Amino acid sequence: MDPKTAEAEPTDAQLMEQAQAGDIGAFEQLFDRYKQRIANFVYQFLGKHHLAEDVTQLVFIKVYQKLDKYKPSGKVSSWIYRIAANQAKDELRKLKRRPTVSLNAPVGSEEEGVRELGDFLLMDETTRPDYLLREKELLLQIKKGLSEMKPKYREVILLCDYQGMSYEEAAEVLQITKTNVSAILCRARKKLQKSMSKT
Amino acid sequence: MKKCLKCSEKELSAYLDNQLVSNVYDRVDAHLQACEVCQDSLAELKEVQDQIQSLPTMELSQDFDVSFKSALLLAEQEKKAAQKVPYKESFSSAKIIFGLPMPLQVAAVVVLGLAFIFGGKQTLFPSTATYLGALKGDVEIKRQGASEWKTVSKTIRLRAGDAVRTAKNSQAVIESKDIYQAKLFEQSEWIPFSLASNNKNDSIEFRLRKGNLFVETGDRFPGREMNVIGPSGKATVVGTTFMVRALPNGLTTLSVEEGKVRFAGKKKENETWVSRFESSKVAPSGNPKLSQPLSEEEFLLFSKAKPEMLENATNADLVNMVEDKRKMSSSDLRVWQNRLLKESDIELASYGFYLIGEVQEEMMAPAEALQQYVSVLSHFPNSVESSWAFEFLRDKLELVPKDRHVTRQEMPATKYGAMLKKVGTADSLTSGFLKGLEPQRKFLSSEFWVKSEDGTSYLVNRAITFERQLGEKQFRPVGYLDSVKDPKTKQLLLRIGKLFSYKGDSNLLSEMNTAVFHPKGKLIYTIERDLYYSGKKPIGYQEVYKGPGGAKLAVLSRQVQNWNRSGQPIRYQEALKNNQGKALLTRKRSNIRYGQNEAVIDYEDELVDVENRLAFERGRDQLKVAVGEQRLSQSDLSGFDSMDEVMRTLKKMQGGRPSRFESDMESGTPFSRK
């Protein structure tokens, strides 16, 4: 890395130290640095776009509120991911307590709009969802597989395979041993493979 | 499935991630060279890993940052509130100091601008100090504690508590470098409670007693908070553009052009958020009203606050300015668009529209940008430039695959219109939040083309309303409204209204009847839906489409085929038949994840859609509402010749066991739960 660039870009630890001292600008930099990654993780964990933004916001509000609780012994990223994983699991528990079945909003993104029978009757061939959604089939299979997984499998496979974390990093986030990460990841992959081969 | 005893799956998984210690890695590596079973296992694990890596990233909404920072500010404020004077108290004290009656004929206007509008301008002063200067005419200042007004003849530094006023045809400028710049228009009076300081946590607070104040925030504004207090309401700026007006009747209105603004009455608990292109108002002792879309008058007010750009430029100048990437506000663009409609040079006008469309793409919600394009078609159907607009539109909507792309040289604009009709698609464009006190509402607006059997195409504007109750996370659809227009005549052909309602905490729709009316009130068709249960177990539903007089047009039915251990449906089949019993649509299979809103459905062996319309649950009273004896006697589940056949099939689906369904039938209270 260019030393000048290194100077210009403070490390996570430096930003955290400044944020702890009350520098909201430093906190905003941390937010900018991690918001996308956290949002991706939360989105894939929950599988719900509209919830993911809310939860991501909550994660960073919690990070902000708990700034003084952070101890420099661990990595900043792991600490933020840990808060995100816990928040996402909380959200999942809430969803399970009160499952919701939206009758109109389609799975995937809200931006895909709502199609109803009336639409089917009016549409010509090129507007039919099969024409538009065929390529999404595989993606849906993965998402379905993920959603069927237990949260503890889901978080490991997302951290390691989706977010590209090492076993060590994932272990730090989840506060489990590396051996456990390895075992859970293997099981999660097998489960997903089995689930995908069923469909 | 074959298994290898020499190598565990866990080892293979760790091998894939290069996480094995070297001696184990070497052993597994060597083993893999010879063992086909392990090679296959490894390939499967790799495939799963690849698939996970290919999952899409999440696209954060445009206002995510602003929204988060607002939430953060709120969190911070809550923290500070414990140490400082409560909001209510400080608001009241402001009123005591500045609560003199407003001249009835004068409306006070405050406009605050986004950083990007201000960006690039030369600023006059250093540091965070705030300075006042007279731009033209007579400007006077009364220092805090003084009793006399003094004329401002040169630039002076302002202090909190000073009062500034302007005479007729006069204008003052107030600036805190890179934080904000304000213009106080004629016959205005303004008092800053607290000015910008080096500490971002210190909020900037103004009171406008009368007249107009125009403010543009600068690059150093983000992270700060600016409060503008009117006679009956207070607006809090969080990096955005808005306008506060103190109306003669005592109302304070808030209109937002960019971002979101928090708006409060005199009680903190009554505050609300007003989003872009929305306005709200509050009476002196009332609560902020639910937001409404901005009126044309409000758009014009925004534009008038910054008149120089449009007043002094011709349409050709404006085209050049936009081509040079000069920023124009949404309001300016809207005013310019109206002016373009009167432009005699059609090519210039349509090119202007095209440019507006491009800018809107970045600035506005896609649905609104598309409306601009549609207006291009209606005003300039034969111009070359409008064909560009259509081309652009078509690309955005992905109406046709790229390999069917037709360039404008090959086909004139009118043909594009024809093509658009032929393809006749595309929906789902934007969503916006409208947060009232309770419940909160969200609108998903979309615009799409449909083609009727006689080949006529119609433009459909659909607004779906979602609501969530206070304390709920989830928005639920509560209704939608479609307006369908003939693009040529622009005549409204029909209007579709639909209302849903939920009972208690359940997700079950208890009312699902839809009526489609002609604008003049003539019923076109209705949809009636019934849900069927066997005990607690859902077994299917049907929708009957009926014409005027009750004649059946079509029936869509679904029968659940399998349930999971909890009794939730996991597979079903459905059929759509017309009144003659002819199959129009057959969905042969579906996999439903109950509670996850997911279903994959085959349409003649191909993926059709993701569906989640099966709702089965839950509170005792829903069942009574949703199904009942009367409805059963009218039902004829499509795909079956007789009710006996339905019964037989249902019994078979349930493994031949006697069902509650059957016993209920016999007892004359079908589907009711006991």
Side-chain angles (χ1 to χ4, degrees), chain B residues 157-172:
Chain B
R157 184 167 176 171
L158 272 176
R159 292 192 295 265
D162 293 343
V164 179
R165 70 181 182 190
T166 53
K168 197 171 181 184
N169 296 323
S170 303
Q171 208 173 89

Side-chain angles (χ1 to χ4, degrees), chain A residues 22 24-25 27-28 31-32 35-36 39-40 43-44 46-58 60-61 64-65 91 94-96 98-108 110-124 126-134 136-140 142-144 146-148 157-158 161-162 166-168 178-179 182-183 185-186 188-190 192-193 196 199, chain B residues 1 9-10 13-14 16-17 19 41 44-45 47-49 51-61 64-65 67-69 71-72 75-76 79 200-201 223 401 404 422-425 427-429 431 442 444 448 450-452 462 464 466 468 472-475 477 480 498 500 505 507 509 512 525 529 543 545 556 576 584-585 587 591 593-600 603 606-615 618:
Chain A
I24 198 156
F27 176 74
E28 282 176 9
F31 168 72
D32 287 337
K35 66 182 177 192
Q36 187 63 56
N40 291 342
Y43 173 43
Q44 298 303 347
L46 294 173
K48 292 173 190 299
H49 187 277
H50 65 285
L51 278 182
E53 278 206 354
D54 286 354
V55 173
T56 306
Q57 278 203 5
L58 273 176
F60 283 100
I61 294 286
Y64 179 74
Q65 287 169 338
E91 202 59 40
K94 282 181 204 164
L95 283 173
K96 279 187 178 171
R98 195 167 62 185
T100 53
V101 180
S102 165
L103 297 190
N104 279 51
V107 174
E110 286 165 1
E111 287 71 22
E112 282 175 20
V114 174
R115 291 207 172 84
E116 300 209 5
L117 184 66
D119 300 337
F120 280 106
L121 294 172
L122 285 166
M123 282 174 180
D124 66 13
T126 52
T127 67
R128 265 195 358 232
D130 58 332
Y131 186 87
L132 300 169
L133 295 181
R134 199 172 299 144
K136 294 186 183 172
E137 185 171 14
L138 190 60
L139 180 63
L140 286 169
I142 306 165
K143 286 189 157 194
K144 181 173 177 291
L146 271 178
S147 70
E148 285 171 341
I157 202 169
L158 285 176
D161 284 350
Y162 183 59
S166 67
Y167 289 6
E168 198 169 359
K178 261 176 73 176
T179 317
S182 172
L185 181 61
C186 173
R189 283 171 175 164
K190 290 305 289 179
L192 193 58
Q193 192 266 327
M196 286 172 65
T199 46
Chain B
M1 193 186 197
E9 282 174 342
K10 191 179 157 190
S13 177
L16 180 66
D17 298 322
Q19 295 276 340
S41 292
E44 283 172 358
L45 289 170
E47 192 189 342
V48 169
Q49 191 184 48
Q51 298 293 359
I52 290 282
Q53 282 167 355
S54 73
L55 283 170
T57 57
M58 178 167 149
E59 197 172 326
L60 291 166
S61 60
F64 179 74
D65 280 12
S67 173
F68 170 70
K69 282 167 188 174
L72 188 62
E76 213 182 345
K79 206 171 160 187
K200 276 190 168 187
N201 293 329
R404 285 166 62 187
K422 189 179 174 187
V423 175
T425 182
D427 63 352
S428 239
L429 300 168
S431 66
K442 179 180 180 183
L444 180 74
F448 55 96
V450 294
K451 185 182 172 189
S452 65
R462 168 172 291 182
I464 305 159
F466 298 83
R468 71 174 170 198
E472 272 190 350
K473 279 273 176 197
Q474 180 106 1
F475 279 89
Y480 69 76
K498 190 167 190 173
F500 307 132
D505 276 351
N507 308 300
L509 287 187
M512 191 62 197
Y525 66 88
R529 167 184 275 203
E543 285 178 349
Y545 286 66
L556 174 75
L576 174 69
L584 301 174
L585 180 78
R587 290 167 171 167
N591 301 320
R593 278 285 305 153
Y594 180 79
Q596 299 289 330
N597 299 348
E598 288 180 10
V600 182
Y603 176 89
E606 288 185 336
L607 180 68
V608 173
D609 200 354
V610 178
E611 269 282 3
N612 51 358
R613 293 183 60 175
L614 276 184
R618 250 135 157 92

Side-chain angles (χ1 to χ4, degrees), chain B residues 558-577:
Chain B
R558 285 204 174 108
Q559 292 91 45
V560 179
Q561 293 180 307
N562 294 106
W563 295 260
N564 63 16
R565 285 179 190 173
S566 314
Q568 310 299 349
I570 51 173
R571 278 175 188 273
Y572 68 93
Q573 67 175 21
E574 75 169 32
L576 174 69
K577 297 192 174 186

Side-chain angles (χ1 to χ4, degrees), chain A residues 154-197:
Chain A
R154 212 185 301 176
E155 62 189 6
V156 169
I157 202 169
L158 285 176
L159 287 175
C160 293
D161 284 350
Y162 183 59
Q163 299 272 333
M165 283 188 187
S166 67
Y167 289 6
E168 198 169 359
E169 287 167 326
E172 193 182 340
V173 170
L174 302 170
Q175 309 228 287
I176 55 178
T177 62
K178 261 176 73 176
T179 317
N180 262 337
V181 170
S182 172
I184 294 171
L185 181 61
C186 173
R187 277 179 230 153
R189 283 171 175 164
K190 290 305 289 179
K191 275 178 187 293
L192 193 58
Q193 192 266 327
K194 206 172 163 186
S195 164
M196 286 172 65
S197 64

Side-chain angles (χ1 to χ4, degrees), chain B residues 304-549:
Chain B
K304 278 179 183 169
K306 297 164 280 179
E308 317 80 50
M309 179 180 282
L310 286 175
E311 270 182 7
N312 303 326
T314 63
N315 283 334
D317 291 340
L318 290 168
V319 161
N320 290 334
M321 280 159 60
V322 175
E323 278 189 325
D324 290 343
K325 305 290 178 199
R326 170 109 179 246
K327 298 281 187 189
M328 281 178 83
S329 71
S330 301
S331 308
D332 283 346
L333 286 170
R334 185 160 306 217
V335 172
W336 184 33
Q337 175 192 300
N338 289 334
R339 198 206 275 184
L340 281 173
L341 291 174
K342 296 169 191 160
E343 169 65 54
S344 56
D345 181 345
I346 297 297
E347 289 302 307
L348 177 65
S350 56
Y351 184 55
F353 265 105
Y354 175 69
L355 289 175
I356 287 173
E358 275 197 325
V359 178
Q360 302 285 49
E361 243 268 298
E362 294 168 11
M363 294 180 62
M364 295 177 71
E368 290 166 276
L370 284 173
Q371 278 180 343
Q372 308 300 323
Y373 288 128
V374 172
S375 70
V376 174
L377 169 69
S378 51
H379 290 286
F380 311 108
N382 297 313
S383 74
V384 174
E385 306 300 350
S386 70
S387 69
W388 288 8
F390 268 116
E391 197 174 309
F392 192 57
L393 167 66
R394 194 196 52 200
D395 285 350
K396 292 294 163 201
L397 294 179
E398 296 176 352
L399 295 182
V400 289
K402 291 285 178 192
D403 58 355
R404 285 166 62 187
H405 183 85
V406 182
T407 63
R408 71 185 175 98
Q409 285 81 11
E410 289 170 351
M411 202 177 273
T414 46
K415 290 284 174 61
Y416 280 102
M419 174 174 281
L420 197 66
K421 285 175 195 170
K422 189 179 174 187
V423 175
T425 182
D427 63 352
S428 239
L429 300 168
T430 187
S431 66
F433 278 94
L434 176 56
K435 290 187 177 180
L437 293 176
E438 187 186 358
Q440 292 183 338
R441 284 188 184 153
K442 179 180 180 183
F443 300 100
L444 180 74
S445 69
S446 64
E447 192 175 66
F448 55 96
W449 296 79
V450 294
K451 185 182 172 189
S452 65
E453 283 180 6
D454 66 1
T456 312
S457 294
Y458 301 103
L459 177 65
V460 182
N461 288 294
R462 168 172 291 182
I464 305 159
T465 307
F466 298 83
E467 270 187 11
R468 71 174 170 198
Q469 300 297 320
L470 205 63
E472 272 190 350
K473 279 273 176 197
Q474 180 106 1
F475 279 89
R476 303 193 285 193
V478 292
Y480 69 76
L481 184 72
D482 282 356
S483 67
V484 184
K485 287 177 183 174
D486 179 335
K488 285 180 187 166
T489 62
K490 291 199 157 188
Q491 192 183 356
L492 188 73
L493 293 175
L494 54 86
R495 181 169 169 265
I496 303 175
K498 190 167 190 173
L499 280 177
F500 307 132
S501 68
Y502 295 88
K503 291 281 179 182
D505 276 351
S506 164
N507 308 300
L508 177 67
L509 287 187
S510 61
E511 294 167 19
M512 191 62 197
N513 293 328
T514 303
V516 181
F517 290 95
H518 190 274
K520 288 182 179 172
K522 186 185 167 192
L523 179 68
I524 297 175
Y525 66 88
T526 61
I527 307 169
E528 293 173 10
R529 167 184 275 203
D530 289 336
L531 304 174
Y532 297 96
Y533 288 79
S534 171
K536 291 182 181 178
K537 188 183 279 187
I539 54 175
Y541 76 79
Q542 71 166 6
E543 285 178 349
V544 182
Y545 286 66
K546 289 180 177 175

Side-chain angles (χ1 to χ4, degrees), chain B residues 6-16 20 24 27-28:
Chain B
K6 291 183 179 173
C7 198
S8 72
E9 282 174 342
K10 191 179 157 190
E11 282 174 335
L12 287 175
S13 177
Y15 174 86
L16 180 66
L20 290 173
V24 183
R27 174 174 59 78
V28 173

